[in-house]
Amino acid sequence: MGWLFWASLSALFAGLTAILAKVGITGTDANLATAVRTTVVLAFTWLLAAITSRPGALQALTPRTWLFLILSGLATGASWLCYFRALQLGDVSQVAPIDKLSVAVAIVLAVVFLGEKPSAKEGIGAGLVILGALVLAWR
């Protein structure tokens, strides 16, 4: 159940991120705000990696690992740029639920590209996430 603890903290911090970002982008260019946020994340994560990683871990990364981490980073950057722009244009109560459709998108992509086979319960849950996001975002 360790994953549940960390996933819950992730949800808590993601929710807090939305509120802090909405306040922080007031009167500011969304792309500049994303760059500031990304710089903070970059510094924080490198510090954390330096403290917690074993010696030589960076050199042990394979070219395949580098490729997919870089692609993941580009996807994260694109997501954040779009998220900040959406927050600038809409209310957190509308933007955050639509952003969480990433849950359903991730499940579909995992089926298509990773061959995962979600159970009926997981399929129903993904459907409810989609329905919930649409209900919350609808004005």
Side-chain angles (χ1 to χ4, degrees):
M1 288 302 254
W3 67 267
L4 184 57
F5 171 76
W6 291 106
S8 298
L9 281 180
S10 175
L12 172 68
F13 288 127
L16 186 58
T17 296
I19 302 305
L20 296 172
K22 180 67 174 179
V23 173
I25 62 172
T26 303
T28 304
D29 177 71
N31 292 335
L32 178 61
T34 303
V36 170
R37 173 183 159 177
T38 303
T39 301
V40 172
V41 170
L42 178 70
F44 176 71
T45 54
W46 274 112
L47 176 65
L48 190 62
I51 292 169
T52 61
S53 295
R54 68 185 192 290
L58 184 62
Q59 294 82 2
L61 296 178
T62 67
R64 183 177 190 274
T65 298
W66 275 104
L67 172 66
F68 282 97
L69 291 178
I70 289 168
L71 292 173
S72 175
L74 291 171
T76 298
S79 172
W80 288 1
L81 288 168
C82 295
Y83 183 72
F84 267 57
R85 183 66 177 142
L87 280 177
Q88 206 168 42
L89 299 172
D91 293 338
V92 171
S93 61
Q94 292 176 297
V95 172
I98 297 300
D99 178 64
K100 296 313 171 213
L101 286 175
S102 63
V103 171
V105 171
I107 291 170
V108 169
L109 293 175
V111 168
V112 172
F113 293 108
L114 302 177
E116 292 187 9
K117 295 176 177 34
S119 67
K121 181 176 77 170
E122 292 164 337
I124 292 168
L128 289 172
V129 167
I130 294 167
L131 181 61
L134 296 176
V135 167
L136 287 169
W138 188 277
R139 293 270 170 161

